[in-house]
Amino acid sequence: MKRFIMLLPLVLAACNSGPKVTAENASVEEVSNKVAAAQGSGSFISPGHWDGKVTITNLDMPGMDKMPPEMAKTMKDKMMKGQEFASCVTEADVKSPKAGMFGGDKSCRYDHFTMAGGTIDAKMTCETAGQKRDMTIKGTYSPDSYHTEVTSSGGQAGTAAMTIDARRAGACTGKEKS
């Protein structure tokens, strides 16, 4: 998930006003290759320093109902404050996106993936050790900012919903965590 969040600027800005990227029943690598082919010259995203924030908007983990109410409230309150992040998108990242930039691993497949005209709509299913997990991504993007709403459910981790907001803030500083 961390890799997904850090590289999300590339994913979301890949084809703002350019070609439409669609896929069904596709691997993470296949989707990455389609986005890379669509962005061609690398003109769909602004490289540089990106600041963002991930905010958990809903969390329901197995066993939370057995926690002392104060502990569960403290945990939820802390997560819902949001976690800020910074990342550096280089010229090389723009020209040649990595296959894993969409999160997930070889156990994941996109049920559907559509990026076009400043919007994204995707659903991914992952299966590991007999546990199935679904994730949806819906949002808006431009070369310099994005807003997404992500939901995740299934498996032993329970359900979660979050928003991810980010904007390009200038040149890379070398202090970003990638």
Side-chain angles (χ1 to χ4, degrees):
M1 180 63 93
K2 183 177 180 181
R3 183 173 12 139
F4 174 77
I5 292 168
M6 298 303 272
L7 293 171
L8 199 55
L10 282 175
V11 174
L12 296 178
C15 41
N16 180 30
S17 60
K20 182 177 184 177
V21 177
T22 61
E24 290 187 17
N25 190 26
S27 70
V28 173
E29 184 176 13
E30 289 168 329
V31 168
S32 181
N33 290 339
K34 282 187 172 205
V35 171
Q39 76 182 10
S41 68
S43 61
F44 298 113
I45 182 172
S46 301
H49 174 97
W50 284 71
D51 287 322
K53 186 174 184 179
V54 178
T55 304
I56 305 291
T57 57
N58 186 31
L59 180 65
D60 185 15
M61 297 176 3
M64 281 188 80
D65 58 337
K66 294 179 176 69
M67 288 181 171
E70 307 82 35
M71 182 185 289
K73 181 181 180 335
T74 300
M75 186 173 87
K76 280 187 175 183
D77 288 348
K78 183 177 180 181
M79 290 179 169
M80 290 182 180
K81 281 185 183 176
Q83 180 177 351
E84 294 182 356
F85 66 89
S87 61
C88 176
V89 176
T90 67
E91 290 282 347
D93 293 330
V94 172
K95 290 179 181 172
S96 197
K98 297 168 184 73
M101 74 186 215
F102 294 92
D105 57 30
K106 292 184 187 235
S107 73
C108 300
R109 289 194 70 78
Y110 278 97
D111 299 356
H112 71 268
F113 180 94
T114 303
M115 284 179 63
T119 63
I120 183 170
D121 178 20
K123 181 180 180 212
M124 175 189 288
T125 302
C126 303
E127 191 167 340
T128 305
Q131 298 285 320
K132 184 177 172 186
R133 185 146 193 85
D134 294 320
M135 183 168 76
T136 62
I137 306 162
K138 294 184 183 284
T140 59
Y141 62 90
S142 75
D144 294 317
S145 67
Y146 66 86
H147 167 82
T148 59
E149 296 176 6
V150 180
T151 61
S152 179
S153 63
Q156 296 178 346
T159 61
M162 68 184 82
T163 60
I164 305 169
D165 292 283
R167 65 177 176 77
R168 185 181 180 280
C172 292
T173 64
K175 297 179 182 178
E176 299 88 357
K177 294 179 182 176
S178 295

